[in-house]
Amino acid sequence: MDSSADLTAVDSSADRTAVFHRERPHLLAVAFRVLGSDADAQDVVQEAWIRYARADLGEVRNVPAWLTTVVTRLCLDVLRRAREDPQEPADLPLGPAEGAEGPEEVALLAGELTEAFTVVLDELTPPQRVALVLHDGFGVPFAEVAHVLGTTTDAAKKLASRARGRVRRPADAPGPGTGEARRVAEAFLRAAQEGDVESLVLLLDPDVTRTADPQALPPGAAQRVTGAPAVIRETRALRDRARRARTATIDGRPGIAVRSEEGLWAALALRVEGGRIVHYDVVADPRRLALLHVEP
């Protein structure tokens, strides 16, 4: 997390509103990654706002981390209700999140997390999902993940390790080679820049999905879009933005990087099967972007 925002003093309702408005895109990104649903993510963040507005923050040193804790625990409640799992507590006490104790090694590549999000995330237990998304997806130290889950740091590490094992298990069929994925990435970017609908139709799987962090989207836009027609409409609408993009290697995998005058603005992690894009994830949350290794 950005250390400049970690210790945020909240002294008035106006301050609270400003802090929440600043953190809201990040909170939506976390909720969506854990839940996989736009509507559920919006509901969770709205409930977090209600709790935040009513809370006594006098003892809270790290307001952004506290908000992330609240949102994540609300997500856990949603997942557990959906699974109707009687062996896990429905609620965990909400308390102030402690600051980071130091950097932790992030072992899961962004491309693998994208794969997990679309393929096997539903098969993980709620605590495994939270450990994987918070630590490997957003770089939250295991000490904070343990606080969110109400467990020990070692237990949080084991949850993430088990989740990675599910994510990295061999697929039923071998995936495409890097060469094919790079060719598809280059063709997709060229078609997006030129507004070439016919090429986009050939490059996108009919059931393609696009997920994205809120920072990459216009206000109110869905974090998940499904189907080639919807993805093509969005791609054409964002043609000007595509002109600022270039193909790149993202954590060793072919993808697309979009830059602004300030630097890297977003990264597109592509999943290619059979010469077509079946899913791509637009990473624009600064805390996720900071974990990526992007090369031109």
Side-chain angles (χ1 to χ4, degrees):
M1 292 186 183
D2 183 358
S3 59
S4 64
D6 281 349
L7 305 180
T8 306
V10 180
D11 300 320
S12 69
S13 60
D15 289 338
R16 288 197 185 208
T17 301
V19 170
F20 193 85
H21 180 74
R22 184 190 68 211
E23 292 296 314
R24 189 173 184 275
H26 173 68
L27 299 175
L28 280 171
V30 170
F32 179 67
R33 300 291 157 183
V34 174
L35 297 173
S37 163
D38 276 307
D40 288 342
Q42 293 283 352
D43 289 346
V44 160
V45 172
Q46 180 62 29
E47 176 62 24
W49 161 250
I50 294 171
R51 297 192 182 200
Y52 174 63
R54 295 173 178 172
D56 179 1
L57 301 178
E59 300 299 320
V60 177
R61 296 188 300 108
N62 186 331
V63 173
W66 185 90
L67 285 168
T68 299
T69 299
V70 172
V71 164
T72 307
R73 287 178 172 171
L74 289 170
C75 289
L76 276 170
D77 285 347
V78 172
L79 291 175
R80 286 165 174 164
R81 286 196 298 269
R83 293 167 69 99
E84 297 180 349
D85 189 345
Q87 298 181 345
E88 295 181 306
D91 296 293
L92 290 169
L94 292 176
E98 298 299 325
E101 296 182 358
E104 296 279 352
E105 179 184 1
V106 178
L108 189 65
L109 299 179
E112 289 168 332
L113 185 55
T114 297
E115 185 97 355
F117 186 75
T118 57
V119 178
V120 299
L121 202 57
D122 286 341
E123 300 178 18
L124 305 180
T125 67
Q128 287 173 344
R129 288 175 69 153
V130 166
L132 181 71
V133 170
L134 287 186
H135 183 264
D136 288 23
F138 291 92
V140 176
F142 277 121
E144 285 190 43
V145 176
H147 176 78
V148 169
L149 294 172
T151 188
T152 65
T153 300
D154 285 344
K157 290 179 179 179
K158 289 178 181 178
L159 287 167
S161 177
R162 289 168 185 162
R164 290 187 204 112
R166 301 297 296 275
V167 171
R168 288 175 166 169
R169 68 187 178 185
D172 293 335
T178 299
E180 180 187 32
R182 190 175 305 281
R183 177 189 63 76
V184 172
E186 292 171 349
F188 175 66
L189 177 57
R190 184 166 57 251
Q193 290 172 333
E194 297 174 356
D196 184 349
V197 174
E198 291 184 3
S199 293
L200 289 173
V201 169
L202 295 175
L203 291 165
L204 296 171
D205 185 88
D207 298 320
V208 62
T209 57
R210 186 278 294 149
T211 53
D213 293 331
Q215 292 89 337
L217 301 171
Q223 288 184 257
R224 178 194 292 271
V225 172
T226 302
V231 171
I232 289 171
R233 284 195 299 271
E234 180 182 82
T235 302
R236 295 186 69 192
L238 298 176
R239 184 177 175 184
D240 289 341
R241 187 174 291 169
R243 292 192 175 109
R244 302 199 305 268
R246 297 291 184 273
T247 54
T249 300
I250 302 172
D251 280 345
R253 300 183 180 203
I256 295 170
V258 185
R259 298 190 178 273
S260 67
E261 293 180 357
E262 290 75 28
L264 181 64
W265 178 77
L268 279 66
L270 309 178
R271 182 170 164 232
V272 177
E273 293 181 1
R276 288 187 168 189
I277 297 171
V278 297
H279 174 77
Y280 69 93
D281 187 26
V282 186
V283 180
D285 185 291
R287 277 160 269 204
R288 292 185 72 205
L289 274 177
L291 301 175
L292 300 180
H293 181 64
V294 180
E295 298 179 5

